[in-house]
Amino acid sequence: KKQIMSTYTMASHLTFPASRERAEINIRRVSSVRIESSWKSFTSLAEITLPRNIRDFNREKFETLFKVGDPVIIRLGYGCDDDYKEGMLPVEFAGYLTNVSMSIPIVLRCEDEMYKLKRDTVTVSSPQITLKELLKKIAVGYEINCPDVKLGAVRYPNVAPIRILDDLKKNGLHSYFVGKVLHVSDGYTEKEINQTPINILLEKNAVSEDLNQSNTNENCLIQITSTQSNGRVVKTKYGEAGGDKMDIKTVGLTQIEIEVRAKQLYTKRKTQGFEGSITLFGIPRVQHGVKINLDSVIFPNMKGLYYVEQVEKTFDENGYRQKLGLGKQAI
């Protein structure tokens, strides 16, 4: 594994766009960066630790350079790969400072665009509204990616947009940002369309794994509820009661489609599989919501197609690592 990565040079680029009365700040050297993201969580988080001896900080107090609410962009990658040259590093996080330490080393904590939706307030009242119409009212100026579904009547007087998103989450619709695009979905349905899985060979791409064999002997009951585009709700059940229970809420699927899906999920659940996490090097780049096609020469029984539910990226003296939390096996 050391030979595989020995030719790569880690590279970072932090950008703090012009804000208030100071010019844009660019930093290409960090002590560490940690980024956490998941489609099950509203907000992606980042923590940056800056080196003690950055030259510019000797001339100006850092509390005048960094303030809560300032925008930040984090780019990480490898400097010798054609796709990751300086200036071409992929954006791994974009958001705002939420905390600035008053000590050395400087630690900056950040949240993504959801930071804005936690602090604004909106008033929405309608006898009939669609999901997209509601999202456009509470996330003004953002691009929206969501299913076409009617919600019926809503009334929210002077509340934070995150409160409305929390109500949607209780009904199986998860909200998260990718850049400045607000995605709202059941977390799985949209990812099954036109997505090429990322191939991961455990012996080549992984630093370590913590996968546990799932239990297939217990009873399993799959329940699926789908709100169709006309507002009608359809339901189905498949399997046995008295054991593991999966209660899935989705949108836009017909009665026949949810019945087919319930049988597929039951079959997958009863098929021997693995759950847990794997830790990769910094490439191939992985984000939550994608599917990985996991393969192994030494452990062939770990092979399978898995959803990535969460990703924790660390960039420090120990290297560039991606810890993937794997969800259920994909269909």
Side-chain angles (χ1 to χ4, degrees):
K1 291 176 181 175
K2 289 183 179 179
Q3 292 180 347
I4 293 172
M5 303 303 293
S6 61
T7 59
Y8 290 89
T9 301
M10 292 167 54
S12 61
H13 182 182
L14 307 183
T15 301
F16 299 87
S19 179
R20 296 170 278 109
E21 296 181 355
R22 66 151 172 78
E24 178 177 284
I25 299 173
N26 287 280
I27 299 174
R28 288 182 168 81
R29 190 162 55 90
V30 298
S31 291
S32 67
V33 174
R34 181 169 58 86
I35 300 171
E36 298 178 1
S37 63
S38 170
W39 62 259
K40 289 187 174 182
S41 302
F42 289 121
T43 311
S44 292
L45 305 174
E47 182 178 282
I48 304 164
T49 302
L50 298 178
R52 296 172 179 269
N53 57 347
I54 293 182
R55 183 180 56 208
D56 290 342
F57 296 170
N58 296 328
R59 299 197 304 266
E60 189 173 355
K61 293 182 179 179
F62 65 78
E63 58 263 32
T64 65
L65 297 176
F66 305 115
K67 289 187 179 295
V68 170
D70 284 354
V72 57
I73 300 169
I74 303 174
R75 294 179 174 88
L76 303 173
Y78 292 98
C80 71
D81 190 292
D82 288 341
D83 293 330
Y84 300 109
K85 291 179 181 177
E86 186 173 336
M88 297 177 61
L89 298 175
V91 174
E92 292 294 354
F93 181 88
Y96 305 89
L97 299 182
T98 58
N99 184 273
V100 180
S101 69
M102 291 292 106
S103 60
I104 300 295
I106 301 171
V107 178
L108 308 174
R109 294 182 175 86
C110 323
E111 294 183 1
D112 68 1
E113 288 293 330
M114 204 62 76
Y115 173 85
K116 296 283 190 180
L117 300 191
K118 292 179 180 179
R119 286 153 182 81
D120 295 335
T121 58
V122 296
T123 295
V124 182
S125 181
S126 175
Q128 185 66 249
I129 197 169
T130 67
L131 177 58
K132 178 162 282 190
E133 289 170 342
L134 176 62
L135 295 174
K136 285 184 175 180
K137 289 180 180 295
I138 69 173
V140 178
Y142 290 106
E143 183 181 342
I144 306 296
N145 186 336
C146 72
D148 179 20
V149 58
K150 293 180 180 179
L151 299 179
V154 297
R155 185 174 183 273
Y156 290 102
N158 197 33
V159 299
I162 195 76
R163 154 75 191 288
I164 300 174
L165 296 180
D166 188 51
D167 283 351
L168 293 175
K169 183 177 181 179
K170 292 174 182 176
N171 288 288
L173 292 170
H174 298 263
S175 306
Y176 59 90
F177 273 99
V178 177
K180 290 186 179 294
V181 180
L182 177 60
H183 293 256
V184 177
S185 75
D186 67 356
Y188 292 113
T189 303
E190 71 166 326
K191 300 296 182 294
E192 294 179 1
I193 303 172
N194 299 326
Q195 187 210 92
T196 302
I198 298 173
N199 293 321
I200 300 295
L201 178 61
L202 204 60
E203 289 76 17
K204 176 183 178 182
N205 305 115
V207 179
S208 62
E209 57 83 14
D210 185 19
L211 295 173
N212 301 307
Q213 204 164 30
S214 59
N215 189 342
T216 61
N217 297 321
E218 296 182 356
N219 288 349
C220 177
L221 179 64
I222 309 295
Q223 294 187 164
I224 303 180
T225 302
S226 176
T227 302
Q228 298 176 303
S229 59
N230 60 4
R232 180 169 173 258
V233 177
V234 292
K235 302 179 180 180
T236 192
K237 293 182 181 181
Y238 192 84
E240 313 90 15
D244 187 24
K245 182 179 178 181
M246 294 178 65
D247 191 0
I248 300 170
K249 294 180 180 180
T250 184
V251 294
L253 300 183
T254 66
Q255 183 70 46
I256 293 176
E257 288 173 328
I258 64 172
E259 290 175 1
V260 170
R261 173 170 291 197
K263 292 178 182 178
Q264 290 175 328
L265 289 174
Y266 176 83
T267 300
K268 285 288 184 182
R269 193 68 178 177
K270 299 293 281 189
T271 302
Q272 196 70 53
F274 288 81
E275 298 175 333
S277 65
I278 60 173
T279 300
L280 310 180
F281 294 105
I283 53 174
R285 181 171 176 260
V286 181
Q287 294 178 290
H288 69 79
V290 304
K291 291 182 286 190
I292 64 168
N293 187 23
L294 185 62
D295 198 358
S296 175
V297 176
I298 300 175
F299 305 104
N301 57 337
M302 288 185 178
K303 292 182 180 181
L305 193 62
Y306 297 86
Y307 286 103
V308 177
E309 292 194 341
Q310 61 187 41
V311 179
E312 179 182 341
K313 302 197 177 193
T314 55
F315 186 97
D316 54 30
E317 61 183 4
N318 296 314
Y320 187 12
R321 303 289 185 263
Q322 305 175 97
K323 183 177 180 180
L324 316 183
L326 303 186
K328 61 186 183 183
Q329 285 188 265
I331 297 171

